[in-house]
Amino acid sequence: MTTETSRRLRADAARNSGRIVRAAREVWAEQGPDALLEDIARRAGVGIATLYRHFPDKAGLVRAALDQSFAEDIAPAIERALGDDDPRRGLTAVLEAAMSTAARELNTLAAARNSGAITAEASSTFIESLTLLARRGQQAGLIRADLVPDDLPRIMVMLMGVLWTMDPGSDGWRRYLALVLDALSPDAASPLSAAVPLRSPRKRGGWPV
């Protein structure tokens, strides 16, 4: 097999994989997290055998969908935030991007939760970015000084929990994000009790973020 042929086959495989993942996000959004894989293959314009060749199980497809969504909608917000001179504004922008994406992709998140595809590793890059922005905000006096890194995944769990009480696509989460952001302000911050270490996500199937 020639190198040119190999490159063409790899490119075709990558395009098929991307189409399948995008189709999965669309079908889950329309039909819910229990939509049939056959419907996803049909939307992507491939056979079910091709889908299974790329994604032998649903958990792998869900992880790829989350990765695609993160790369398209959240990673650019993180990059802009890390270049912003105002770390609080950057942190706010990243949280808004994450919540907006999660609200839009709520059925994908439900599919991930049902298939066990959500792990601490899957959200590690996101949490690390929040931690860096929060630390910069503390150094600038814009974020309360007693915030610790373990607070951030818990705050995200709290915010994500709001989404399950709303219709998919609702922007009602903005009210609760505003409340959280006010709570992160150093102005008139109430004293906090000691932080409790995070439990291992493996003990309970991963964090729902």
Side-chain angles (χ1 to χ4, degrees), residues 27 32 51 56-57 72 77 84 91 115 124 147 150 157 170 183 191:
V27 171
L51 185 150
D57 56 41
E72 291 178 353
D84 195 325
L91 179 64
S115 65
S124 61
L147 185 77
D150 280 355
V157 169
S170 169

Side-chain angles (χ1 to χ4, degrees), residues 92 95-96 99 159 173-181:
T92 299
L95 290 173
E96 287 178 343
M99 293 301 295
L159 287 171
W173 53 267
R174 293 185 181 278
R175 173 184 177 89
Y176 302 95
L177 177 56
L179 288 170
V180 166
L181 290 170

